């Protein structure tokens, strides 16, 4: 790794569809992957709703962009932190979320989990360790 | 609005030649776009175009070139999964040009 | 005349559901749409408030907005009715007074 690599964390706090924050943030994340930085994602507060499983938008006519989160592994974005308290406050568990995985090039392309459940305090620590934190 | 005429159908395209409506696509659209860009389409081109369409179907995004290259290497072998090979097939860029032929939007992050 | 209240913001982020619950009267109808639909889920920190409201108000949720966010009717609190777009229109037509809590 070159010394020019910085730690970027995108912190997602808004529900999808009702506002455009989630979609815009996802696009920035995908673009950022082109710059070979150390990128991680966090989902807290209503942001956890961005990656719920089984999103079906036929009835509302919205563009379903949830499948794109499953491509994050292809973009070498494989550190995804979910805040435990945010799930609990919303009556959710990890089972309500999509499985997000990546294939580890250094381990014969073994499929590994990208999602890490962290507490609010742990997420605060992780955010402190970043060079750049982009919140939406 | 600009259009491209394929088999008697006038299909809307944007200022860069990408289809406006993804559902308008059928294989002859790719052939017609290739004629305009002076690319002679062969099986190798179709492998990439079909791959892109499958990727879009699954993830609803057009992959960045880096992602495309890696995925092609995995699926079709290292001799095809490198940018030199992909640029030979699509001289204006495997992301931009192949996505256009495939009827997809320009890849996110492609400038 | 009973009123139709429409809430479209997430109760975990904004206070509009609280405002609506505190100012809607007995017999009125509360419809949750867009980001507000997640307030209808079971086991959340707002579930008790909604359960209290169901006792004397008619609480509804727009089904297609629920499905968009990855949830189904089975996951919402008992006593909350799911409506489709036609049902939404009916509710508006049935009430002479509609208030949107933005």
């Amino acid at each position: 790794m070159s010394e020019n690599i910085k730690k970027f964390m995108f912190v997602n706090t808004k529900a999808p569809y009702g506002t455009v924050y989630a979609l815009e943030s996802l696009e920035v994340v995908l673009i950022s992957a082109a710059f070979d930085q150390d990128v991680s994602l966090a989902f807290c507060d209503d942001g956890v709703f961005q990656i719920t499983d089984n999103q079906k938008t036929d009835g509302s006519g919205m563009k379903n962009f949830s499948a794109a989160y499953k491509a994050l592994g292809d973009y070498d974005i494989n550190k995804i932190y979910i805040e435990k308290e945010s799930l609990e406050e919303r009556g959710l568990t990890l089972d309500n979320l999509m499985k997000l995985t990546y294939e580890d090039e250094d381990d014969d392309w073994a499929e590994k989990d990208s999602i890490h459940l962290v507490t609010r305090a742990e997420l605060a620590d992780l955010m402190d360790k970043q060079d750049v934190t982009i919140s939406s | 609005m600009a259009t491209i005429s394929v088999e008697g159908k006038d299909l809307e395209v944007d200022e860069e030649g990408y289809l406006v409506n993804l559902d308008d696509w059928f294989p002859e659209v790719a052939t017609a776009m290739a004629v305009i860009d002076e690319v002679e389409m062969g099986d190798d081109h179709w492998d990439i175009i079909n791959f892109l369409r499958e990727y879009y179907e699954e993830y609803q995004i057009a992959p960045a070139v880096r992602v495309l290259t890696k995925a092609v290497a995995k699926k079709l072998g290292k001799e095809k999964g490198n940018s030199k090979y992909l640029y030979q097939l699509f001289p204006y860029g495997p992301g931009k040009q192949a996505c256009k032929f495939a009827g997809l939007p320009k890849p996110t992050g492609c400038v | 005349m009973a009123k139709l209240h429409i809430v479209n913001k997430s109760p975990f982020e904004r206070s509009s559901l609280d405002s609506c619950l505190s100012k809607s009267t007995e017999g009125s109808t509360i419809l949750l749409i867009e980001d507000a639909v997640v307030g209808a889920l079971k086991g959340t920190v707002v579930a008790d408030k909604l359960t209290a409201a169901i006792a004397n108000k008619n609480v509804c949720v727009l089904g297609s907005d629920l499905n968009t966010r990855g949830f189904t009717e089975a996951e919402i609190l008992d006593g909350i009715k799911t409506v489709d777009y036609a049902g939404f229109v009916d509710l508006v037509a049935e009430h002479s007074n509609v208030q949107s809590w933005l």
Side-chain angles (χ1 to χ4, degrees):
Chain A
M1 278 208 180
S2 115
E3 60 198 42
N4 293 325
I5 290 185
K6 287 190 169 152
K7 287 168 77 73
F8 279 73
M9 179 182 263
F10 291 89
V11 183
N12 297 284
T13 69
K14 306 271 190 210
Y17 302 112
T19 57
V20 81
Y21 294 101
L23 177 58
E24 293 283 329
S25 172
L26 177 61
E27 294 206 339
V28 175
V29 167
L30 294 175
I31 291 166
S32 77
F35 298 99
D36 279 328
Q37 300 294 312
D38 180 7
V39 175
S40 62
L41 262 62
F43 293 90
C44 59
D45 304 336
D46 273 353
V48 297
F49 288 121
Q50 293 181 21
I51 51 172
T52 52
D53 206 2
N54 300 316
Q55 295 179 25
K56 290 189 173 60
T57 60
D58 308 7
S60 64
M62 305 290 292
K63 179 182 160 69
N64 186 349
F65 56 93
S66 63
Y69 293 98
K70 294 185 180 175
L72 289 171
D74 293 346
Y75 283 75
D76 294 326
I77 297 171
N78 48 36
K79 292 189 290 279
I80 299 177
Y81 302 102
I82 315 289
E83 191 182 87
K84 188 168 170 279
E85 290 86 343
S86 296
L87 286 177
E88 288 167 359
E89 286 159 10
R90 289 157 184 80
L92 305 176
T93 67
L94 282 184
D95 290 340
N96 292 99
L97 307 184
M98 295 184 281
K99 295 278 166 282
L100 301 179
T101 59
Y102 71 103
E103 293 172 334
D104 190 346
E105 212 168 332
D106 303 324
D107 190 8
D108 197 23
W109 304 98
E111 191 173 79
K112 298 185 178 176
D113 219 335
S114 300
I115 289 187
H116 305 277
L117 190 65
V118 294
T119 64
R120 193 159 276 164
E122 286 167 341
L123 184 56
D125 282 344
L126 282 166
M127 288 168 70
D128 263 356
K129 294 192 179 89
Q130 305 300 314
D131 297 305
V132 183
T133 317
I134 298 162
S135 191
S136 62
Chain B
M1 183 64 82
T3 58
I4 180 171
S5 183
V6 188
E7 303 212 319
K9 295 191 185 78
D10 287 329
L11 310 172
E12 275 184 53
V13 291
D14 68 13
E15 68 273 13
E16 292 179 282
Y18 291 80
L19 278 188
V20 172
N21 303 306
L22 275 53
D23 296 338
D24 282 350
W25 192 88
F26 51 97
E28 289 74 13
V29 173
T31 317
M33 286 178 171
V35 170
I36 295 169
D37 282 7
E38 297 177 345
V39 171
E40 202 172 321
M41 293 280 280
D43 289 348
D44 293 336
H45 296 84
W46 282 109
D47 280 346
I48 304 303
I49 287 172
N50 290 331
F51 176 85
L52 283 170
R53 290 192 59 83
E54 282 164 24
Y55 196 93
Y56 191 86
E57 176 69 24
E58 185 168 356
Y59 298 114
Q60 299 293 304
I61 53 170
V65 180
R66 189 168 65 92
V67 174
L68 172 69
T69 310
K70 204 165 76 173
V72 170
K74 206 180 157 219
K75 199 177 172 191
L76 306 172
K78 284 255 190 248
E79 69 282 5
K80 294 189 174 184
N82 64 77
S83 45
K84 187 170 173 247
Y85 171 82
L86 292 171
Y87 270 92
Q88 275 166 4
L89 292 180
F90 301 100
Y92 285 97
K96 284 187 189 178
Q97 198 171 31
C99 284
K100 185 172 74 176
F101 292 0
L104 308 183
K106 201 159 92 168
T108 304
C110 225
V111 263
Chain C
M1 179 71 197
K3 204 186 240 185
L4 171 63
H5 299 269
I6 300 176
V7 181
N8 76 338
K9 297 290 188 290
S10 164
F12 309 114
E13 191 188 276
R14 307 279 192 97
S15 57
S16 50
L17 180 66
D18 276 338
S19 305
C20 167
L21 291 174
S22 67
K23 294 185 178 64
S24 53
T25 51
E26 210 175 306
S28 60
T29 297
I30 297 167
L31 174 63
L32 307 176
I33 64 167
E34 300 170 16
D35 283 349
V37 297
V38 294
L41 294 171
K42 288 175 181 156
T44 77
V45 289
V46 299
D48 287 348
K49 291 180 201 168
L50 258 301
T51 305
I54 292 163
N56 60 8
K57 294 164 197 170
N58 177 29
V59 182
C60 307
V61 59
L62 188 60
S64 53
D65 281 345
L66 199 60
N67 301 150
T68 294
R69 287 153 183 83
F71 301 103
T72 64
E73 221 169 315
E75 290 161 281
I76 63 172
L77 293 164
D78 294 334
I80 297 187
K81 204 174 121 192
T82 305
V83 297
D84 57 11
Y85 282 119
F88 187 168
V89 173
D90 287 343
L91 284 175
V92 174
E94 285 162 15
H95 294 82
S96 57
N97 199 343
V98 180
Q99 181 166 1
S100 284
W101 296 82
L102 298 178

